[in-house]
Amino acid sequence: MWDTLTQPSDILLCSGPKTGTTWLKALSFAILTRGKFDASTSPLLTTLPHDCIPFLENHVEKIKENRSDLPLLATHLPYSCLPKSIIASNCKIVYIYRNIKDVLVSYYHFVREIAKLSVEDAPFEGAFDDFCQGISYSRPYWDHILEYWKASQEMPERFLFLKYEDLKNDASSYVKRLAEFIGRPFSVEEEKAGVLENIINLCSFNTLSNLEVSKSGSYQADENASLEHRLFFRKAEDGDWENYFTDAMKEKIDKLVDEKMSGTGLVLK
Ligand code: A3P
């Protein structure tokens, strides 16, 4: 069924949950629509990025009925679960990933809030144990990263790997790289006119999280689940994991990740 939804010219934004998907959607949308809208007229000011770019696995009907001119689709699916047509096509894939410990903390709060559980009822230790056992929405996170990473090694021209922390620390370089990869590089004139900077500011956590649309309303994540918009914006801080992990937890997860990444060429700090 998904096979018929995608076209070879599509750009697929792939990620594990809580790794910066909302941000990547906002940036990609703003980059590709910048001829039509500027930072003061962008639909992103009034629409959640998830309502601008659908998820392949959750919004089949929406994509079928309302395929926009925008060649952007997103997915949390592991690479091995992508439709064969996508794998066989030449479509480009942007993959965003993030410090595993921060992903776990972000995921913990997200799931806890959806389930409406207090920290006392759902302590972090339980989430930590599940995570280490690989119990997760879309595969153990290390497998999610590695599957895409391995595919990117075989077909480097089709993939752009973006690290959440790099985007935060050097937004201008990485947003430019994203724009080039998705086929809409910034011209020198645009840069001089501040277009790149405006897009970075528009899509920043500070701007997006303070919009009215991000503070109220719900997003239809799939047929059964409706999620409050505010759940997609928490702290966006690097290293928040330090407030949750004991030394023993840090040691355990570092060892686990080192083992999983060993020999792959991918370093996750
Ligand atoms: P925290 O829970 O650490 O705050 P996803 O979009 O994949 O669901 O990931 C959500 C995480 O990205 C949350 O992290 C959220 O706060 C952060 N986030 C949301 N919008 C962001 C933005 N514009 N820039 C940076 N981080 C953002």
Side-chain angles (χ1 to χ4, degrees), residues 15-23 50 76 98 102 105-107 109-110 164 168 203-206 208 231-237 240:
S15 60
K18 314 327 289 173
T19 62
T21 318
T22 313
W23 193 13
H50 294 292
H76 283 323
R98 185 181 183 189
D102 281 332
V105 170
S106 183
Y107 191 65
H109 284 291
F110 187 67
Y164 179 95
K168 272 197 102 168
C203 299
S204 70
F205 179 77
N206 199 23
L208 290 188
L231 295 178
F232 293 96
F233 306 93
R234 195 181 63 94
K235 279 170 126 181
E237 272 175 19
D240 190 31

Side-chain angles (χ1 to χ4, degrees), residues 8-193:
S9 55
D10 283 334
I11 297 156
L12 207 55
L13 309 178
C14 304
S15 60
K18 314 327 289 173
T19 62
T21 318
T22 313
W23 193 13
L24 178 61
K25 282 187 176 186
L27 285 169
S28 307
F29 182 88
I31 290 168
L32 288 192
T33 59
R34 71 182 187 271
K36 215 166 158 189
F37 309 110
D38 64 26
S40 63
T41 57
S42 175
L44 288 167
L45 295 167
T46 49
T47 316
L48 190 75
H50 294 292
D51 278 324
C52 297
I53 302 175
F55 277 110
L56 183 61
E57 61 273 36
N58 296 336
H59 303 126
V60 173
E61 287 309 318
K62 195 170 161 187
I63 299 172
K64 261 199 226 159
E65 284 160 20
N66 185 23
R67 192 70 225 254
S68 70
D69 294 339
L70 209 62
L72 293 170
L73 290 172
T75 186
H76 283 323
L77 287 174
Y79 184 76
S80 53
C81 298
L82 288 181
K84 290 198 173 42
S85 63
I86 290 188
I87 297 193
S89 83
N90 255 338
C91 80
K92 290 185 174 172
I93 293 181
V94 182
Y95 188 80
I96 189 162
Y97 65 112
R98 185 181 183 189
N99 178 314
I100 280 193
K101 300 189 198 82
D102 281 332
V103 171
L104 166 52
V105 170
S106 183
Y107 191 65
Y108 162 66
H109 284 291
F110 187 67
V111 172
R112 192 179 56 69
E113 290 232 25
I114 291 172
K116 301 202 186 314
L117 292 172
S118 66
V119 174
E120 291 71 32
D121 288 335
F124 179 69
E125 289 72 15
F128 178 83
D129 288 341
D130 285 353
F131 192 83
C132 290
Q133 287 179 55
I135 300 170
S136 172
Y137 168 75
S138 52
R139 286 270 160 95
Y141 185 41
W142 47 84
D143 283 349
H144 201 281
I145 301 178
L146 278 179
E147 282 188 6
Y148 279 94
W149 176 252
K150 285 179 186 160
S152 78
Q153 300 301 288
E154 287 162 20
M155 298 170 278
E157 65 294 346
R158 281 186 63 187
F159 284 82
L160 176 69
F161 259 65
L162 281 178
K163 201 167 174 182
Y164 179 95
E165 292 76 15
D166 286 344
L167 253 183
K168 272 197 102 168
N169 295 333
D170 187 3
S172 155
S173 302
Y174 288 93
V175 172
K176 274 203 267 186
R177 205 176 283 187
L178 173 63
E180 274 163 32
F181 184 75
I182 63 180
R184 285 293 309 280
F186 289 95
S187 65
V188 177
E189 292 72 33
E190 280 183 310
E191 275 193 56
K192 275 193 194 144

